[in-house]
Structure formats: C-alpha cells, structure tokens
Amino acid sequence: MRSKPTRASSTDVADAVGLERDLRLVGQRVIRHDARDKVTAATAFAADWAMPGMLHGVVLRSLYPSARIKNIDATRAASMPGVAAIMTAKDVPRNTLWTDVPGQTTAVGSLRAKLHVLAEDRVRHQGEPVALVAAETEEQAREAAEAIAVEYELLPGVFDPAQALEPGAPRVHEEGNLLAHWRVCHGDVAAAFARAAVVIEGDYRTQFVDAAYLEPESGVAWIDSDGVITIRVSTQVIEHFRDVAEVLNVPQNRVRIIGTYLGGGFGGKEDVTVEVYLGLLAWKTGRPVKMVWSRQESLLARAKRHPFRLRYRTGALRTGQIVAQEIELLADAGGYAYLSALVLLYATVTAAGPYRVPAVSVDARVAYTNNVPTSAMRGFGAMQVVFGYESQMERVARALGLSPVEMRKINALSRGDTLPVGQVVDTHVALPELAERAWAALGELTPPRAPHVKIGRGLACNFQPYGRIVWLHDWSSAWVGFEMDGSLVVRSGVPDVGGGQASSLCQIAAEVLGVPLEQVSVYIADSALTPLAGTTTASRQLYMSGNAVLKASRELCEQLLKAAAAVLGVDRDAVGLADSAVRTADGRSLPLPELLHACSRMGVPRSHLGVYHAPAGEPVDLEKGAGKVFPDYTYGAHAAEVEVDTETGVVKVLKLVAVHDVGRAINPLSVEGQIQGGAVQGLGYALMEDVVVEKGINMTTSFASYLIPSAVDVPDVRAIVVESGEGLGPFGARGIGEPPIGPPAAAVANAIEDATGARLSVLPLTSERLARALGLM
Amino acid sequence: MKPAPFTYVRPKSLAEALGCLDDDGDAKLLAGGQSLVPLLNMRLVRPTTLVDINALPGLATISPTPDGGLVIGALVRHTDLLASPLVRERTPLLAAAAAHVGHRAIRNRGTVGGSLAHADPAAELPAAAVALDATLTIVGPAARRTIPARDFFVGPLVTALEPREMLTEIEIPGPVQRGWGFAEMARRAGDFAIAGVAGIVTPAAPGRGRSSTARLVAFGAGDTPLRLPGAAALLAGQPIDRALARAAGDVAARECTPRDDVHATADYRRHLVGVLTEQVVLDCAARLGS
Ligand SMILES: Cc1cc2nc3c(=O)[nH]c(=O)nc-3n(C[C@H](O)[C@H](O)[C@H](O)COP(=O)(O)OP(=O)(O)OC[C@H]3O[C@@H](n4cnc5c(N)ncnc54)[C@H](O)[C@@H]3O)c2cc1C
C-alpha cells in the first residue's frame, strides 16, 4: 500500500506493478554502522593514526591579547634534542589569507578580512598562533616551543564590542572595529508601536561558549608516494584542502584531505584548525607529522560562540498579536573575522522569531575586539536570538494574561507569510501543533518538595535555517554504484560529525535500490576520491547530500531497470528492484548479480554520479526586504519544568520536552539523538557554560572551570518527532542538526519567571544571578 | 599534557617511605592521585620522585576506639567511608561529607589522607574533620606527633605538614555525635562546593549542668575550613528553633571570609554560608530530637 502519494520513481514503479512496497528502510530505527564502531572502539579517530617516522607538531601561542611582536628568537629551541623544524610567519609561503566579508550595509562597505596563518608583527588575541615546532616526540616539541623567546610590546586592547565601536577605541585591525552591519526595515515600525496596547522592552546578553567536543582538534599529515600532501584530519570541511594549497602556494590538486569520523564538531571544526599547520610542517620536513591540540589549548584559543547583546522592543495588541519588533543586536567577533558576518546575518534574518510581525526593524552589528575569536557554533546566530525573542513572547503573554501556547498560536507563521527580509514562507509551519504537544507532554505538575521550593514551566519556540544561503549556490555530489556481486558502494565527500551523516546516505541508497542495508559500503570525506559534498555545517548534509544520493540512486535504478526490461523482454514499467533482485509484474525475478553481469555485457554503467543543486537565488538587500535568503527552516518548540530553591537560587530542570518538525525522519534513532543531544547542549548553555574572558584573558581553560553538564545534571529529554513531509530534503526531510539547541535557554528562563516572578536576562542563568534577581543578596 | 619525567618508587614500609622522602627533597607522596595527578599532568607540580604509598601496610583500616570514636587510616578511600557501618554509626557526619566528594570513580581512588593533606579550602573532608574535632597523626624522620585538625589547615593547599612528614591516620573522638548536619551547594553534581557547612551540636549533659555546645565549620568560604565561632556561640545553651538558626546563619555569613572566583562571587558564597548554616543547625537539632 502506498503510504504517501508523493513518493517518487522507483517506489512508484513498484506500486505500478503491484509490488507491495512501503518504504523499507527510510523511517526505520536503524543501528548506525558508525555507532557500533564507536561503541566497540573500532573507529580510528584522527588522533588514533600513526605513521613510521612520524614527528609531532605543536603551536606556540600568544600569551597576550594585544601586543606587538618585536622579535622571535628560536636559536636555542632549534638546537634542542629531537627538534626537526621551527616555523614562524616568515617561513610560510603565503601567510596572509584574505576573505570577502559578505553583504555589508552602505555604512560599512564591502570588506576584506585578513587572517595570518602565524602572527607577523602583532597579536590580536590571547592564544593566537605565533610559531610551529615539529620534533620527534610531543614532549620535545612542547619543550622547544617553550624555549622560543618571543619579545612582546604590550599594546592597548579593547575587550567589549560596544567600547570597540566608540570613537578613539584601540583599533584591532587598521580598517576599524566595525566588522559587519546588517539592517532590516519592514513595515512602518513607528506607526505599529502607536497601535500597540502593550510595549515590552528587554535587554538580553548571551555568553561566549565553547564547542567542547570530546575530540580536540587533531590530525596527521604526510607527503604520499605520489608527492601529494595528504592530511588525515578531524574536520567538518574537507574542502579546506584549497586553503592548505593556498598557504603552501602549491596547486590545489597537490593537497588531499581525508576526513575522519569526528568526535564532535558543532561548528568548531568548520574553520581551518590543525590542517594548515600540519601541511606546513610536513612540507617543511618531508616527514609525517601529527598534531593534537590539548584540551587547555582548545579551550584557550579555539573560536567560540558569539556573545550577543540583544535589545528588543516589542509591541502587541490586546489580542496578543505582535505588531512591531524593534531589535538591536551587537556581537563580539574577537580578534579575527572568521564567519562573524554570516553568523550575524543568520541572527538578523531570524531575530523576530517564527512569527508573523507586520513591522520589524533590526539593526545588527558585530565588532572586532581583542577577545578570543568567535565563529560558527551549532545554531550560528539564529540560536542566540531565541533567548531574546522568546523571552519577549513570554513577557508579552504575561502582560496580556495569555497562556504561552495561545501566545504562540496567535502569532505563528504559516505558509504564505512573508518574513521581515522579504522571504515568503513556502512550506508548512507546524508551530501551533508543536507548541501544544510540547506543553501537553509535560504532564502533571510536579509538587514542590519543600516550602521554599517553587515549580514553574516555560515554553520556547524557534526556527532555524537549514542549507546554505541561497546566493551561495550550494550543491552536493554523490556516487552510487553496484559491484558485480550486488553489493553497493556509496561515495560522498560528506564528513560525518557524529550525527549519522554517512549512515543515512546508506539508508537512502539501499531504500531506492532495493538492497539490504548490510550490502552497502560507504566511503566518505576524501577530497581526492569521493565526490565533493560540501561542508557538514548549516544542518545541510542530509538535505544536500541526501538529495544527491537520492538522485544518483534513482537515476542508477532507472538505468538498471531499463536494462532489466530489455533482458527480460518486458516494458520498463513492468519491472522493479526489491530484495536484491529485479521483479516483474508477472511474478518473475532476476537476481541482481545476473542483471549486473548482463549490464556489463551490454555496456550499461553500473554506477551513477548524482549532483544536487539547491534552489538558488541572487543576493538580496535585507534592508529593502527583497526575497529569499535561506532554502527553508526547521521549526521547534521546547517546554521545560523547573524547580527553584528560593533560598539559594539553585535551579533544577525537572522535565524538558523537545518537539521538532523534521519533515521526515530518515532514521528516528538518529533524529532523537540529535534532538536530545542538542537540547542537553542547550541546557548547558542555559545554566552553566561560560567562557569567562577578563580583559582578553581566558579564565576557563580546563573542564574544572568551564562547566558542561554531566548526565546527572540534566533530565531525560523527551524528544517528540513530528513529520510533516514538508522539507526540501530526501523524502521530505528537514535539517535537524542545529535546531534543538535553540529553545532550552529561553524555555528555562521563562519557567524560572513562572516559578518566581523573576526575569533573568543574562546567560548563563546561574544560581547567583537568580539569587540577586530574587533580592536574596 | 603528560607529567614532567619523575622517578617512581613504591615502598613497602613506612620507614622505607620516610626514607624516600628523606633522600629527595623534591619527592611527593602519591595516594589516590585524584588531586596530584591532574597537577602533575598540567605540570603545576614537578616532583623528581613520586613515592607511591598505596602498598604501605596498615593504613587502610577503620578501627573503633573505646570512647566511641574511630581511628581512620590515611589510605582509607572515600568509598570505604561510605560503605563502612562503623563510620555510619559512629561518625555519620563523615559519611555524609564523603558522599559529596566528586564522582564514584574519584571516591574509589581518593583517600582520606590525601584529601586532608591536599587541603583544598572547598573540600568536604577537611571541614568534617574540623567539625568532628579530629586529631591527626603525623610521622616524620625524627618523631611521631599529633595535631588537632583545627590547627592543621594553614591556607589554600597549605598544611602544617613538613616536607618530610606523612599523615598516617586521623582519630575522631567519641562519644558518637548524633546532632550533626552537613550541606553544600555545587554548580554541578560532583564538583567542589561553591560553599558548604558542616556542624555538630552537642546536647547538654543531663544533670551535670553543662549546656549544649556547637561547632560549625564552613568550606569554600575562606582559605581553610573555616570555624564559625560567632554563630556557634549563639547556639550555646539555647533551645534551637528556626529564628535562632536564622540568626546563626546571619552571623555565619558575616564571619566567613570567602573570595571571588570564576564560579561565584564572595558575596554569593557569603549568602550561601548563611542559608546553609541555618539548614545545618536545624538538621543538627532535628537529629537530636530537640
Ligand atoms: C573530577 C574530580 C572531582 C573532585 N571533586 C572533589 C570534591 O567534590 N570534593 C573533594 O574534597 N575532593 C574532590 N576531588 C579530589 C579528591 O577528593 C581527592 O581524592 C583528594 O583531594 C586527594 O586524595 P588522593 O588520595 O587522591 O591524594 P593524591 O592526589 O594522591 O595526593 C594529594 C596531595 O596530598 C599528598 N598526600 C597524599 N597522601 C598523603 C599522606 N598520607 N600524607 C601526606 N601527604 C599526602 C600528596 O603528596 C599530594 O600533594 C575531586 C577530584 C577530581 C579529579
């Protein structure tokens, strides 16, 4: 029986010939091959790799957030035992990388941002790489790095984005400290506020956050027998082979990146990490080199999530309908641009939330400071604003006496609505249902266990783009082919960050081509040998590479079925693939290996390369509200129940329900894992995670000071998967990698207000902040 | 990171261990390693010799004393405190304190002696030892000496131990203290406390004219486990009720001397000491049935 009328070719074919073919594998709770491998410790992570004659590389980093480098003396270090190479900026063929910072307002103009591979005459943040050492052992490399004498002259620094934008502030870069500025003007905001029955103002702050993956940045590089600089590395982006080539000044086809299964990425491995340094040291020494950043190093110097200041003014009618949003955003880029301008773009586009708001103005800026740099992290700007808009929603609802669910229902976007940036929402928005289900799933209210303990509940919704900005013309490719025995091979350049990216591709190929999952082998993330699939970022891989595999599989299926029809002497429409065989409408079957041999004799290819191009568009002027920015969005709603100790301010989250419309769950186990993992990471963000940076100095460089929740600190997250079938991905799937991290902070803050009447507006929501808000101290 | 190179020795007797300390002025004792190994790995300490005391005989026992107290060997693990019926019966405060130390894996390795000798101002066992008025036995090259717990803790990670000395056991005096209380607040399960309080209220001895006394000790609230004499004095000889407990909390908050760090400000720690003192005092009273 057909379960959905929109199923495409191979399934339709099967249906047409009367073979019962519901989806066999898509939608099943499949145990991922990579999960099994990780549990049995079979996975060779990047740091598990070793090669004969391998050196160990380390990075010497700046001690100061803002200083001039007057001199670097490595003579003593160079003569130390085991040292094979020491490199400073002058040894790097192309030390300066320029990137175009996109889509500026006229106030800023277009900007080219500069990044040095190794610091030249000055350092702009603590932990900035200054020199490289390769030695026979890691010990020797570290000792030599400590022996490099760097003479610094301290310079004034600026450590706050607002101060950085004041006239006369110390300049982090010559061009000035304003890195990007986006604006949205939609409708007549002043007139809309004049109509409002209630106007709520709020000022919110979010913090620096670390990706804190289990696996720190790591890799091994060597010059292979063909002379190609080969780097086996933990990365979300194998396309960084181009950056390595640029730095080494070699042709791009002389660098190969082999991506490993990651022990977590979360955006922290989206920018270049160790690969450029590994490439340099292998190129310089001619020997294999390994580099593994220590936890302290990773916490000290790796790009963090942007802290934001969010200023909201929200106007609503007595009915609860939001009529105006006036929003100001200011983010801290730290010492270098990285992806700050794009992070800010995501924040700008989503700042008003998944709601229909007729008049919106957004003024968003990101400034350079001498703090640790910030860049991509799960949610990418679109998550920081959730704390702003969902706190505001709650406060408006309270002011008007509306329930949290009613408030969302009144304002939720729906198909056909236009976002403030002019994008028309053209897929289904299930927000009212998601909010209702999340709230209902909290069940009975937990009774307080003592008189000084209060219980409260909060709701927060979000929407998160999946897929890259449409004017980036995103594409992905995948190769699907049969071996002669009927086993199937999938090749795709997708890095698997732990979300089951590779496994889902296998499921899709096996589904379409009628073979059991065990018959599929998948090769991923090799820039030389797998078709490029683009980055595992922006919640895009299932959508993009899933579509590429789907396309390749369907076209291969078509190719094979045509051949099968010829072999069997029937119409093309009378054959289908199932259970590793060709089946005909009249009950005959041809085992797959026989068909494949026949193909071989007839010169019919047994493989296909599929390329999927996302719907593309041209750059839009956000201010004028001209059109589409993102392909589509994933919507979610979380409901939290908290217990607050009104004497100490300690908050305990008793329940968290996380509901997302994922379009279609290819593997519900993976989807639930993403939702639970994201929600828990969101709870860490809500309650404890905080990179403390004082005057540019990072105070939280170990897990004793940078707190992430452990299993006992979080409740069992109840994940509810809603499938509208409305996504742009394979079988109607939407991206779910980033979305679940968005709502928890606002849901918890709203629950705290519900319990105590106190509104917290600074993250993380620590017990000390609550104690102050409760007037306890 | 990994530790700087060191020589490792595993003596089989106390005399041999003390000899090792004598031989190398930069030697360090290794007990459970739960505080020392992280310091080694981060190279915050670089001893030239590590003297592993885990093979020393007779230091891992818990023995009752005739007055109703206990003698606890330096190598007794936190887990042993939790599992021991003797500890639960005779020094329930110590069992409650041990339950708050780290996670199970840490409690399985970490030792009573290591915890006291390490003297983290936010650690539970030092505060419990002071509250229980314990006496520590220290052996050195020349002699054996004893020192009251309240005099042992000198500053953050600093004790009255001399470089060539070793802590061998602690004695908790009887009779059994039934009026005990223990409370702490940590930002995360298993972490060192932001602040905590351990307390003992001793009832008036019937017919002998002695009024009740109290010992209250805060941790995470000063450079050492911090006695709160003002708060304790308030309780002396008084029937304990909520108002008195609150008053004691107020005094405790004033007399503690916490500092700011990345986890909390001194002000918040002060507030916590107040709230937790009130709670501990009420718990002591409830356990006494007063
Ligand atoms: C993640 C984590 C969380 C933790 N949480 C807590 C917590 O919440 N509360 C808490 O109190 N502790 C906590 N700890 C520390 C733990 O309690 C340690 O067990 C304790 O502090 C030290 O005991 P140890 O036996 O491991 O000593 P070691 O680490 O072996 O030694 C510590 C120090 O004491 C010295 N030493 C050891 N034994 C003796 C002796 N007999 N005589 C003289 N000197 C000696 C050593 O030379 C060293 O300087 C935590 C540790 C970790 C890793």
Side-chain angles (χ1 to χ4, degrees):
Chain A
M1 228 188 77
R2 301 171 72 125
S3 57
K4 280 215 172 149
T6 51
R7 293 281 154 67
S9 62
S10 63
T11 323
D12 289 344
V13 170
D15 289 336
V17 296
L19 290 174
E20 286 266 320
R21 265 243 334 230
D22 258 342
L23 294 182
R24 278 178 311 122
L25 285 169
V26 163
Q28 296 300 310
R29 305 175 75 84
V30 167
I31 305 280
R32 287 152 41 180
H33 64 268
D34 60 301
R36 206 184 291 275
D37 288 350
K38 283 166 194 160
V39 170
T40 58
T43 308
F45 290 102
D48 294 331
W49 204 250
M51 297 188 75
M54 186 172 78
L55 296 166
H56 296 263
V58 303
V59 181
L60 175 69
R61 297 174 179 279
S62 163
L63 298 173
Y64 306 106
S66 178
R68 188 173 311 290
I69 296 180
K70 294 177 72 180
N71 188 40
I72 303 179
D73 182 357
T75 34
R76 188 166 84 82
S79 66
M80 288 174 65
V83 174
I86 294 183
M87 299 182 81
T88 59
K90 64 179 178 7
D91 307 309
V92 180
R94 280 194 199 149
N95 192 50
T96 306
L97 299 173
W98 290 97
T99 46
D100 291 316
V101 177
Q104 301 294 299
T105 62
T106 46
V108 189
S110 72
L111 197 98
R112 301 199 71 207
K114 180 172 63 181
L115 183 67
H116 293 307
V117 175
L118 294 172
E120 294 181 354
D121 56 339
R122 74 161 294 186
V123 289
R124 293 179 172 83
H125 67 91
Q126 187 200 20
E128 182 168 348
V130 173
L132 302 176
V133 180
E136 301 294 335
T137 69
E138 190 188 339
E139 293 283 272
Q140 290 170 333
R142 289 208 186 272
E143 268 156 34
E146 278 174 35
I148 298 175
V150 185
E151 205 183 318
Y152 293 101
E153 176 195 324
L154 301 193
L155 296 175
V158 62
F159 306 108
D160 174 277
Q163 281 168 13
L165 295 178
E166 280 168 13
R171 290 196 162 205
V172 181
H173 291 268
E174 298 77 51
E175 303 79 29
N177 293 337
L178 181 59
L179 168 57
H181 188 187
W182 301 96
R183 261 203 298 249
V184 172
C185 292
H186 173 68
D188 186 339
V189 176
F193 273 113
R195 286 202 294 144
V198 41
V199 174
I200 300 283
E201 294 189 23
D203 212 336
Y204 306 91
R205 280 170 191 241
T206 73
Q207 74 278 41
F208 284 104
V209 177
D210 197 275
Y213 16 65
L214 276 174
E215 178 203 33
E217 301 76 2
S218 43
V220 175
W222 65 93
I223 300 183
D224 216 75
S225 53
D226 51 9
V228 171
I229 297 158
T230 305
I231 308 173
R232 189 178 183 278
V233 62
S234 174
T235 178
Q236 296 175 242
V237 182
I238 61 171
E239 286 80 355
H240 285 317
F241 71 88
R242 298 195 186 103
D243 301 270
V244 178
E246 187 184 343
V247 169
L248 292 173
N249 199 12
V250 300
Q252 292 184 357
N253 65 2
R254 304 306 288 165
V255 178
R256 170 182 175 194
I257 299 243
I258 301 172
T260 55
Y261 281 89
L262 278 74
F266 311 119
K269 295 168 185 168
E270 174 167 353
D271 298 300
V272 169
T273 64
V274 295
E275 50 270 57
V276 166
Y277 303 119
L278 283 169
L280 281 165
L281 290 171
W283 168 80
K284 171 99 175 181
T285 61
R287 290 172 61 181
V289 184
K290 179 180 207 164
M291 184 178 281
V292 180
W293 288 352
S294 70
R295 180 62 65 186
Q296 287 93 322
E297 197 175 8
S298 183
L299 284 167
L300 173 78
R302 281 296 305 139
K304 311 295 179 226
R305 179 192 294 295
H306 290 75
F308 269 68
R309 286 175 199 184
L310 315 143
R311 194 161 289 158
Y312 275 78
R313 203 165 150 248
T314 307
L317 304 181
R318 209 164 298 284
T319 56
Q321 194 196 331
I322 305 279
V323 289
Q325 287 276 24
E326 191 177 74
I327 302 162
E328 260 179 63
L329 308 176
L330 177 60
D332 187 342
Y336 289 94
Y338 289 100
L339 297 164
S340 291
L342 290 173
V343 169
L344 189 70
L345 172 82
Y346 275 65
T348 306
V349 172
T350 57
Y355 304 112
R356 189 187 312 117
V357 189
V360 177
S361 81
V362 186
D363 187 86
R365 292 172 303 163
V366 58
Y368 286 122
T369 65
N370 295 105
N371 290 328
V372 60
T374 47
S375 191
M377 192 183 162
R378 195 177 202 170
F380 205 85
M383 76 81 80
Q384 285 94 329
V385 292
V386 182
F387 186 54
Y389 63 70
E390 286 301 90
S391 294
Q392 290 290 103
M393 287 300 277
E394 177 74 14
R395 294 176 61 196
V396 172
R398 281 183 179 276
L400 295 169
L402 291 166
S403 82
V405 175
E406 270 175 285
M407 184 68 196
R408 269 66 176 197
K409 282 169 124 176
I410 291 165
N411 290 287
L413 283 171
S414 54
R415 198 197 306 265
D417 285 338
T418 303
L419 297 178
V421 290
Q423 170 162 8
V424 176
V425 175
D426 47 19
T427 57
H428 179 62
V429 182
L431 211 59
E433 183 195 342
L434 305 184
E436 254 174 14
R437 291 187 62 176
W439 199 249
L442 285 177
E444 293 281 305
L445 193 69
T446 306
R449 58 178 171 78
H452 66 282
V453 165
K454 300 260 186 291
I455 306 289
R457 288 180 166 186
L459 180 70
C461 299
N462 77 329
F463 72 144
Q464 173 82 38
Y466 63 92
R468 302 182 75 193
I469 300 165
V470 294
W471 61 78
L472 296 175
H473 295 260
D474 199 10
W475 60 277
S476 171
S477 54
W479 183 98
V480 179
F482 277 110
E483 296 303 340
M484 296 307 293
D485 60 358
S487 60
L488 189 64
V489 175
V490 175
R491 291 192 173 91
S492 158
V494 51
D496 191 315
V497 299
Q501 282 81 8
S503 167
S504 292
L505 300 185
C506 296
Q507 243 180 301
I508 292 165
E511 174 74 55
V512 174
L513 291 162
V515 296
L517 198 52
E518 303 72 46
Q519 291 259 18
V520 188
S521 278
V522 63
Y523 297 89
I524 60 167
D526 186 326
S527 71
L529 301 181
T530 55
L532 292 183
T535 63
T536 301
T537 67
S539 305
R540 69 178 279 288
Q541 278 299 10
L542 177 66
Y543 161 44
M544 295 299 300
S545 300
N547 272 336
V549 167
L550 183 65
K551 196 165 171 224
S553 303
R554 282 182 175 161
E555 284 167 12
L556 175 58
C557 180
E558 194 54 37
Q559 215 163 279
L560 294 177
L561 288 180
K562 269 196 199 130
V567 170
L568 294 167
V570 294
D571 275 359
R572 157 68 189 84
D573 288 348
V575 285
L577 280 177
D579 307 326
S580 292
V582 180
R583 314 259 162 182
T584 64
D586 56 15
R588 284 184 295 156
S589 77
L590 176 67
L592 200 49
E594 286 179 32
L595 170 64
L596 294 165
H597 279 94
C599 286
S600 178
R601 284 193 301 276
M602 299 188 297
V604 174
R606 286 169 282 110
S607 65
H608 197 84
L609 179 72
V611 183
Y612 175 74
H613 290 274
E618 290 317 305
V620 302
D621 181 337
L622 298 190
E623 194 159 358
K624 297 212 182 89
K628 198 171 195 135
V629 180
F630 295 106
D632 190 26
Y633 300 82
T634 300
Y635 301 84
H638 291 200
E641 183 179 281
V642 304
E643 169 190 291
V644 180
D645 181 324
T646 57
E647 293 179 345
T648 60
V650 171
V651 174
K652 188 171 174 208
V653 179
L654 301 176
K655 296 177 189 167
L656 185 72
V657 183
V659 190
H660 293 269
D661 173 10
V662 303
R664 169 103 207 183
I666 303 297
N667 182 351
L669 271 181
S670 287
V671 171
E672 288 164 12
Q674 285 300 302
I675 293 176
Q676 287 169 333
V680 167
Q681 207 173 19
L683 285 176
Y685 172 72
L687 293 165
M688 59 181 83
E689 295 197 36
D690 195 2
V691 178
V692 179
V693 186
E694 285 176 8
K695 295 223 171 308
I697 301 297
N698 189 326
M699 310 300 286
T700 45
T701 59
S702 82
F703 280 152
S705 46
Y706 185 78
L707 305 186
I708 53 178
S710 70
V712 281
D713 300 302
V714 290
D716 259 341
V717 174
R718 168 106 189 266
I720 298 179
V721 176
V722 171
E723 298 179 282
S724 65
E726 283 282 328
L728 305 180
F731 306 99
R734 281 176 163 145
I736 191 63
E738 295 171 282
I741 200 174
V748 172
N750 291 345
I752 291 172
E753 183 173 15
D754 184 46
T756 66
R759 162 60 49 183
L760 292 183
S761 53
V762 178
L763 291 177
L765 309 165
T766 62
S767 51
E768 174 160 359
R769 290 197 169 119
L770 183 52
R772 285 182 198 282
L774 292 172
L776 297 176
M777 45 185 291
Chain B
M1 243 204 283
K2 292 281 173 286
F6 55 80
T7 308
Y8 171 84
V9 290
R10 191 176 164 92
K12 293 277 184 317
S13 72
L14 193 54
E16 204 189 321
L18 292 171
C20 297
L21 290 180
D22 224 15
D23 291 346
D24 181 350
D26 285 329
K28 263 217 166 282
L29 297 177
L30 172 71
Q34 298 305 295
S35 296
L36 183 56
V37 172
L39 294 175
L40 289 173
N41 281 348
M42 289 193 260
R43 299 197 171 192
L44 294 171
V45 293
R46 297 175 177 229
T48 43
T49 306
L50 221 51
V51 182
D52 181 346
I53 58 174
N54 285 283
L56 298 191
L59 293 184
T61 50
I62 301 172
S63 341
T65 56
D67 71 348
L70 286 178
V71 172
I72 297 172
L75 285 177
V76 166
R77 315 275 160 183
H78 308 321
T79 308
D80 301 333
L81 295 180
L82 287 169
S84 161
L86 260 181
V87 172
R88 250 181 290 136
E89 169 52 31
R90 296 197 168 196
T91 59
L93 170 61
L94 198 59
H100 282 88
V101 175
H103 309 272
R104 182 174 285 270
I106 288 144
R107 294 193 294 266
N108 285 344
R109 300 275 329 150
T111 65
V112 173
S115 191
L116 297 177
H118 187 62
D120 190 303
E124 289 84 1
L125 298 190
V130 174
L132 288 164
D133 203 17
T135 301
L136 281 53
T137 302
I138 292 168
V139 295
R144 168 182 297 261
R145 62 183 175 116
T146 58
I147 182 171
R150 63 177 173 275
D151 297 333
F152 180 73
F153 301 100
V154 176
L157 312 189
V158 182
T159 67
L161 276 169
E162 297 294 335
R164 287 180 293 175
E165 287 184 327
M166 181 178 148
L167 176 63
T168 52
E169 60 188 34
I170 80 166
E171 179 172 355
I172 296 164
V176 175
Q177 301 291 347
R178 306 222 173 273
W180 64 276
F182 185 91
E184 72 170 54
M185 183 271 175
R187 283 191 65 187
R188 201 171 50 159
D191 280 359
F192 276 101
I194 297 298
V197 176
I200 292 285
V201 172
T202 310
R208 277 200 258 152
R210 194 159 71 83
S211 68
S212 65
T213 57
R215 261 192 315 274
L216 295 170
V217 182
F219 52 104
D223 289 351
T224 60
L226 194 76
R227 286 187 301 150
L228 302 167
L234 212 58
L235 304 178
Q238 300 293 321
I240 292 170
D241 60 10
R242 187 165 283 281
L244 185 67
R246 174 145 299 173
D250 290 345
V251 174
R254 281 199 296 276
E255 67 185 327
C256 66
T257 54
R259 294 175 191 262
D260 291 347
D261 68 12
V262 287
H263 297 306
T265 62
D267 284 351
Y268 183 53
R269 290 194 155 90
R270 220 176 257 292
H271 169 73
L272 288 176
V273 167
V275 172
L276 297 172
T277 298
E278 178 186 339
Q279 184 187 326
V280 161
V281 166
L282 289 173
D283 287 348
C284 289
R287 290 196 173 102
L288 282 176
S290 75

